Amino acid sequence: MSIKEIAEKAGVSAATVSRVLNNPNYKCSSPEVRDRIWKAAIALNYTPNTAARNLKMGIQNTEKKVYYIGVLMTRMEKATTDPFFNELLRVIESEIHKQIAILTKVWYMPLFSNDKKCRRENLDQIIDGMYEETDQKCDGLIIIGKCNKEALKKLNQKYKSVVSVNRNSTNYEVDEVLCDGQKVAMMAVEYLISLGHRSIGYVGDCYNEARYRGYLEALHKHDMEPEAAYIMQTGQTEAEGYEAMQKFLQSEDRPTGIYCANDITAIGMLKYLGTNKNRYYVPSIIASDDIEEAQYTRPMLTTVALPKEEMGKFALYLLIDRMRGGHKSVVRTELEGKLMIRNSCTAADEGGWSDYCI
């Protein structure tokens, strides 16, 4: 299978296909073009160099075994739901390509991050169905996002070689690459506290969520009590961030600083402020992830960057090493977040931003 064949199936040039497959940061003319290319590559079982040709011809004496790898997205219904996970997926797709492996399937199944739904559903049947979709060609699985504990055990039993890439630890259930959400949230809230904020809100998932625990721990460390009115449980989408800021503006008691569990929620909040300007209430907003769009908001979003490139690369290294029998014990690789100070946070005694619109 050649790049030319993928280009023909996707309706783009071979040069565009090569750039997309090899560079996760390459910007296509539109997200739809990139999605078409990867769908074509998956459908055609594409691998670089001669690996696919050797498989097709039945040649077994290749230098390295070609592995079939699936990716399970547990926090997204589709590719456009959360840019952070989409950007992380781009890195992993390119790494699979570089490792001369075959990406067999990308599943978008938020069921696996919902404990209540996992208790109601027949997980064995769902997981068996996933495996059948790949014609039983799946040597390993990468799970991106939080996963129900029971579901994780069943996935590990089925696929044998599993790596989790996440902000929430699996507690050594499977190999994992972790950027600890609790530490990330503490870093963000500590920054707001350093600016003099004492009334600090939280917007995001609260149930069994490391970032929410980090928010509470940071407040406790500084002898600050969390206010129920400042905490908003959301599904972490732009639309729900927009609604959350609307609720804050309608409330009489409002926080001066807000930590959003992810960037896209914070962007929704900034968009609401941009269209409903209120000079008497301009909170400092900080988030975590550092998606591409965070640099282009007005004001530019202060956030804690997660090292997506390294997370994706280490996930592939761990998975391939396990599939090759290189290690048997469960391995955790933990990476640090980095505070990106921009314009959406100001000192508590200042009047807020001079401009807030997207």
Side-chain angles (χ1 to χ4, degrees):
M1 192 56 56
S2 70
I3 283 179
K4 184 179 178 181
E5 289 171 286
I6 295 173
E8 290 174 355
K9 190 175 181 66
V12 298
S13 70
T16 298
V17 171
S18 180
R19 293 186 189 104
V20 168
L21 295 182
N22 288 290
N23 182 5
N25 297 315
Y26 175 69
K27 292 180 174 58
C28 286
S29 56
S30 72
E32 290 76 19
V33 171
R34 180 187 167 278
D35 290 341
R36 284 207 312 271
I37 291 170
W38 273 108
K39 284 179 181 177
I42 292 171
L44 297 170
N45 279 347
Y46 176 74
T47 56
N49 303 325
T50 59
R53 188 183 302 114
N54 288 339
L55 283 177
K56 188 175 181 179
M57 296 173 63
I59 299 173
Q60 299 298 322
N61 60 340
T62 53
E63 292 183 7
K64 294 181 180 179
K65 173 179 168 57
V66 176
Y67 293 100
Y68 292 87
I69 298 173
V71 177
L72 173 60
M73 311 289 286
T74 65
R75 299 297 290 259
M76 304 168 64
E77 293 182 355
K78 54 185 179 179
T80 56
T81 306
D82 187 330
F84 169 73
F85 287 117
N86 199 32
E87 290 171 18
L88 182 55
L89 176 62
R90 288 207 306 253
V91 173
I92 287 173
E93 286 172 336
S94 292
E95 285 301 315
I96 289 173
H97 171 73
K98 291 174 185 176
Q99 293 293 331
I100 315 182
I102 294 175
L103 176 59
T104 56
K105 181 76 176 180
V106 178
W107 294 277
Y108 294 90
M109 302 184 72
L111 155 75
F112 284 105
S113 64
N114 188 313
D115 291 341
K116 291 181 181 178
K117 288 184 179 179
C118 282
R119 285 194 292 269
R120 294 197 301 264
E121 299 288 343
N122 186 330
L123 294 176
D124 289 312
Q125 184 177 2
I126 293 169
I127 292 168
D128 287 344
M130 291 168 57
Y131 197 70
E132 291 299 322
E133 286 181 35
T134 64
D135 296 326
Q136 300 184 5
K137 289 182 179 179
C138 201
D139 299 304
L141 181 70
I142 297 176
I143 301 173
I144 302 179
K146 185 165 65 175
C147 189
N148 169 267
K149 187 174 181 180
E150 187 61 29
L152 189 61
K153 288 180 179 179
K154 291 180 180 294
L155 286 164
N156 197 30
Q157 290 169 358
K158 187 70 176 181
Y159 289 92
K160 309 303 180 186
S161 297
V162 177
V163 172
S164 166
V165 188
N166 203 355
R167 311 181 191 98
N168 294 268
S169 175
T170 67
N171 294 316
Y172 293 96
E173 192 67 46
V174 297
D175 289 343
E176 64 181 3
V177 178
L178 176 72
C179 188
D180 193 330
Q182 185 164 336
K183 294 177 182 177
V184 164
M186 288 189 69
M187 187 183 300
V189 176
E190 289 274 5
Y191 180 65
L192 289 175
I193 293 171
S194 74
L195 294 175
H197 294 278
R198 302 291 294 178
S199 350
I200 299 175
Y202 172 87
V203 177
D205 190 5
C206 298
Y207 178 71
N208 194 24
E209 174 53 55
R211 285 164 292 178
Y212 181 57
R213 292 195 297 271
Y215 160 77
L216 295 175
E217 185 175 342
L219 295 185
H220 178 72
K221 180 180 175 182
H222 291 270
D223 298 320
M224 297 163 60
E225 290 293 328
E227 292 285 343
Y230 298 166
I231 298 171
M232 296 223 180
Q233 163 74 31
T234 74
Q236 300 179 187
T237 64
E238 183 179 314
E240 289 178 85
Y242 192 91
E243 293 172 5
M245 182 51 72
Q246 184 179 30
K247 291 177 182 177
F248 277 130
L249 282 171
Q250 292 171 348
S251 175
E252 294 182 1
D253 187 15
R254 299 173 290 206
T256 63
I258 301 170
Y259 167 59
C260 295
N262 65 347
D263 285 352
I264 196 62
T265 305
I267 287 171
M269 299 178 78
L270 291 174
K271 284 187 175 180
Y272 185 85
L273 287 171
T275 56
N276 299 271
K277 295 184 179 181
N278 184 331
R279 295 296 176 183
Y280 299 101
Y281 182 57
V282 186
S284 287
I285 296 177
I286 189 170
S288 52
D289 285 347
D290 197 30
I291 61 175
E292 293 175 12
E293 195 176 347
Q295 301 177 52
Y296 305 109
T297 60
R298 284 191 178 179
M300 288 192 294
L301 181 63
T302 297
T303 187
V304 179
L306 275 62
K308 295 183 285 289
E309 296 276 349
E310 288 84 358
M311 292 171 77
K313 288 177 181 179
F314 281 120
L316 256 296
Y317 297 160
L318 277 177
L319 183 63
I320 289 175
D321 189 67
R322 178 171 286 280
M323 290 189 297
R324 289 175 178 164
H327 72 280
K328 298 187 183 300
S329 299
V330 176
V331 175
R332 173 190 291 177
T333 300
E334 183 173 340
L335 301 169
E336 293 292 321
K338 179 181 179 182
L339 181 65
M340 308 297 290
I341 298 174
R342 299 190 179 115
N343 307 117
S344 65
C345 293
T346 59
D349 56 359
E350 292 182 8
W353 326 313
S354 60
D355 186 20
Y356 46 92
C357 58
I358 304 295

